[in-house]
Amino acid sequence: DVFGGQAPLDPMLVRRLEGSKERWGAPVVMGIVRDLCDLKRIKQSKYMQQMVALENKHSTAESKMGVYHQQLLQSAANPQQRDDIFRSNQNQTVQLEQEYQQEKLQMMQRHSGEMASMIGEEQRQMLSVGVPGFVETADPSALQQQTAIMEFILANGPVPGQGGAGGGGGGAAQQQQQQQQPFAQT
């Protein structure tokens, strides 16, 4: 699944989804669903890579600072100088940790905003093509349900390249007509 645990689908919703497969099983809609899920996966992967890079950067800075602080403490000429260096080192360490936490928070907030925007777009697109179970919301349980619906569609829709109910293909004119009226009865 796209984001962790998948909420179980309500049996009535499953029946509604199965009853509307001609809508969400259309090649255009399946393409939209695949693209939206792929975008979320890519965004989540990029975010995780950025978080790992930030953690590595922080860990390296901590290590270098620790070595530097040891060198300073060893070079202290007397106990008073040693105490002053120790306090300065503590302040620098606290500052480094605060900067790291601030950068991490900003990254998390930026990612959260980007994901909220992507999910809102996903909801609008799924509403526009008539997929059951989609509403514009930020409710976590509804979002889990919508993610489960997307996964259900991916698992139960036609396989790319094998065509849908109409056998697939059909030339550019038929494909253009399907794009303009993806739910038209044939």
Side-chain angles (χ1 to χ4, degrees):
D1 63 274
V2 178
F3 287 107
Q6 187 183 75
L9 287 174
D10 175 60
M12 287 184 64
L13 180 57
V14 171
R15 284 192 291 279
R16 284 179 55 210
L17 284 165
E18 288 171 344
S20 64
K21 188 170 183 174
E22 72 281 351
R23 284 189 195 149
W24 57 259
V28 171
V29 177
M30 288 300 299
I32 291 170
V33 170
R34 272 189 220 93
D35 289 349
L36 290 170
C37 287
D38 287 347
L39 285 172
K40 285 197 300 192
R41 282 186 188 101
I42 290 166
K43 179 61 73 179
Q44 189 69 5
S45 177
K46 181 180 175 184
Y47 169 69
M48 296 307 292
Q49 290 172 356
Q50 289 172 338
M51 289 299 282
V52 167
L54 178 63
E55 180 65 35
N56 289 339
K57 175 183 157 187
H58 177 65
S59 180
T60 300
E62 274 184 321
S63 180
K64 286 181 179 180
M65 184 179 282
V67 169
Y68 177 69
H69 287 171
Q70 266 315 107
Q71 291 171 347
L72 287 177
L73 285 171
Q74 289 172 356
S75 69
N78 58 53
Q80 179 60 42
Q81 189 180 23
R82 185 173 172 80
D83 287 343
D84 291 344
I85 291 172
F86 183 76
R87 277 192 298 281
S88 175
N89 290 351
Q90 282 183 318
N91 290 338
Q92 289 175 355
T93 301
V94 167
Q95 182 180 356
L96 178 66
E97 183 63 27
Q98 288 172 341
E99 289 170 0
Y100 164 70
Q101 292 299 329
Q102 181 64 30
E103 192 172 350
K104 183 177 174 181
L105 177 63
Q106 288 172 348
M107 189 179 292
M108 291 168 63
Q109 289 172 334
R110 188 171 45 252
H111 177 69
S112 179
E114 290 169 356
M115 289 307 299
S117 177
M118 287 179 78
I119 289 168
E121 180 60 27
E122 175 181 283
Q123 291 169 341
R124 286 185 289 281
Q125 287 193 27
M126 294 297 98
L127 279 167
S128 74
V129 295
V131 175
F134 275 85
V135 295
E136 287 194 53
T137 181
D139 176 58
S141 62
L143 294 175
Q144 284 184 327
Q145 186 80 20
Q146 290 175 357
T147 297
I149 292 168
M150 298 286 278
E151 295 297 331
F152 176 88
I153 289 171
L154 288 175
N156 294 287
V159 177
Q162 293 184 356
Q174 183 180 355
Q175 288 176 355
Q176 184 178 10
Q177 183 180 11
Q178 283 179 332
Q179 288 176 353
Q180 292 171 351
Q181 300 173 351
F183 309 121
Q185 296 288 343
T186 52

